[in-house]
Amino acid sequence: MQTITGKDIRFAADLLEEGELVAIPTETVYGLAGNALDENTVLKIFTTKQRPVFDPLIVHIRNEQEVQNYAVDIPDIAYKLMQNFWPGPLTLLLNKKQVIPDLVTSGLNTVALRVPDHGMLKELLNLVKFPLAAPSANPFGYISPTTAQHVADQLQGKISYILDGGPCKIGIESTIIGFENNNCVLYRPGGLPASAIEKITGTKVIMRLTSTSTPHAPGLLESHYAPRKPVYFGDMKELISMHNLKNAALLCFTGNAVEYPGDIPIYKLSQKGDIEEAARNLFSALRNFDQSAAQFLLAEKFPEEGLGLAINDRLKRASVKN
Ligand code: TXA
Ligand code: MG
């Protein structure tokens, strides 16, 4: 199969109508999209990504009104979040309607729904007559793509079209929130900080960041977002003191306070200390490291607040080796 990259939204819509997969831009990361209501297409997503079927998919919809087509028993607090944060990097786990195939949710009773904030994707969702199931467009377990080129590097020959919407403006996946007794439960930190949610709801978000490597538990796997070479994650001064830096590369927030030999590669995610810029640059830096001659990466722990929590979550998972 030949993979074409372009900006033709009509062409992308036609392929999707035919049951094909298309890589799509979102504000968070690129997705590998297909008709969420068609089981055969959804199965193709799993096989193309080499994703185990116990790991459920996010369904992308056009707006808040559409939620009722796919979910039931929607708590009031969920509506509050939709009104404040959609379109945007927030995924909600809601009780699913039957129209959503069990394959999409890996047999769970909940479906993950999100309204993405990207102009081209919004147009695409208006052209097709169905919601789009889309995991991040990387082979399972590897670093998520934030440019069309990242997608091509990995999925060349496996899909026919990559819709190029430029570099992702957030660069880290959506925050995943479920509900229990009208409380918000956080399953994955992401582009929307929990503190922003708490400001709106007035109640604490319950953190449930359980990692697992057991196949029957869906969701957050312990090892993920991982380059092919080792990543060590922690306090940078400590990491530097513990390793022989020959063949090392460093990944830092600002890099300003770090003393290191001048001749090793260093990825500074935001020299001016802007956490949003750092999140945007994270996955590209991990890819650049993977393609470099360095043999391992020392990755600095970010401040544990706001987007720093999501960045640390990804780096921690990237650092776990199976
Ligand atoms: O920003 C994003 O969320 C991107 C873009 C493309 O929208 N998508 C994304 O999809 O990150 P993916 O498949 O890479 O990650 C989705 C996560 C997985 O960890 C999956 O287990 C979890 O969402 N998930 C999906 N449905 C779920 C459910 N019903 N219950 C619990 N976790 C769920
Ligand atoms: Mg993913």
Side-chain angles (χ1 to χ4, degrees):
M1 189 186 295
Q2 205 204 341
T3 305
I4 303 166
T5 298
K7 296 180 188 297
D8 190 340
I9 301 171
R10 178 76 257 176
F11 182 57
D14 290 345
L15 287 169
L16 289 164
E17 298 273 4
E18 288 160 22
E20 292 294 316
L21 305 186
V22 171
I24 54 161
T26 84
E27 79 279 33
T28 57
V29 300
Y30 274 73
L32 178 61
N35 180 351
L37 306 183
D38 179 60
E39 227 167 20
N40 288 329
T41 306
V42 173
L43 188 59
K44 255 194 250 178
I45 296 178
F46 282 97
T47 50
T48 305
K49 236 192 105 116
Q50 294 174 297
R51 181 183 180 110
V53 289
F54 62 75
D55 197 6
L57 306 178
I58 294 175
V59 175
H60 299 72
I61 59 177
R62 286 187 292 187
N63 51 46
E64 185 191 324
Q65 287 71 41
E66 280 196 337
V67 170
Q68 279 141 25
N69 301 342
Y70 309 113
V72 288
D73 311 327
I74 303 156
D76 290 345
I77 196 170
Y79 281 112
K80 215 169 184 179
L81 297 188
M82 293 175 206
Q83 280 149 17
N84 280 281
F85 300 117
W86 277 0
L90 172 68
T91 295
L92 301 181
L93 303 179
L94 296 166
N95 288 343
K96 88 176 191 75
K97 277 195 169 171
Q98 263 196 344
V99 58
I100 301 287
D102 287 333
L103 190 57
V104 169
T105 63
S106 303
L108 294 174
N109 291 330
T110 52
V111 59
L113 295 175
R114 134 169 153 84
V115 176
D117 187 16
H118 190 289
M120 285 170 82
L121 177 54
K122 282 186 198 164
E123 272 185 55
L124 181 64
L125 282 167
N126 277 328
L127 288 178
V128 294
K129 301 282 169 299
F130 41 77
L132 293 174
S136 50
N138 48 284
F140 185 69
Y142 195 63
I143 306 159
S144 303
T146 52
T147 66
Q149 186 59 49
H150 290 167
V151 180
D153 289 345
Q154 239 78 52
L155 296 182
Q156 194 76 255
K158 295 199 169 134
I159 51 175
S160 43
Y161 199 60
I162 300 169
L163 188 61
D164 186 353
C168 300
K169 68 174 193 239
I170 291 181
I172 201 157
E173 293 86 347
S174 60
T175 301
I176 301 182
I177 294 284
F179 302 96
E180 268 175 28
N181 309 321
N182 228 29
N183 283 312
C184 296
V185 182
L186 184 119
Y187 291 90
R188 178 176 74 181
L192 180 69
S195 51
I197 294 174
E198 288 171 346
K199 232 180 181 166
I200 293 298
T201 62
T203 53
K204 275 256 161 248
V205 170
I206 300 166
M207 297 287 171
R208 193 155 309 151
L209 302 175
T210 41
S211 315
T212 178
S213 50
T214 48
H216 43 266
L220 298 156
L221 289 156
E222 203 176 354
S223 167
H224 219 80
Y225 314 103
R228 299 197 179 81
K229 296 181 283 194
V231 175
Y232 301 94
F233 169 62
D235 175 74
M236 187 51 89
K237 278 204 181 94
E238 251 172 56
L239 288 172
I240 288 179
S241 71
M242 279 161 52
H243 288 87
N244 175 350
L245 294 189
K246 189 171 178 276
N247 300 321
L250 309 182
L251 183 143
C252 306
F253 184 5
T254 66
N256 297 337
V258 185
E259 281 175 41
Y260 59 96
D263 56 346
I264 61 172
I266 177 161
Y267 304 101
K268 299 176 181 176
L269 297 191
S270 172
Q271 264 176 293
K272 56 177 192 268
D274 173 348
I275 197 76
E276 289 180 8
E277 181 180 36
R280 208 156 48 233
N281 290 332
L282 173 67
F283 288 138
S284 285
L286 287 174
R287 277 175 189 260
N288 289 342
F289 153 67
D290 224 11
Q291 283 156 17
S292 76
Q295 281 169 16
F296 63 95
L297 181 72
L298 304 183
E300 174 173 59
K301 189 167 178 192
F302 280 62
E304 280 273 287
E305 57 189 20
L307 283 183
L309 287 170
I311 294 174
N312 285 340
D313 172 81
R314 305 306 186 268
L315 286 173
K316 191 161 147 245
R317 290 174 208 280
S319 71
V320 175
K321 281 282 155 245
N322 285 319

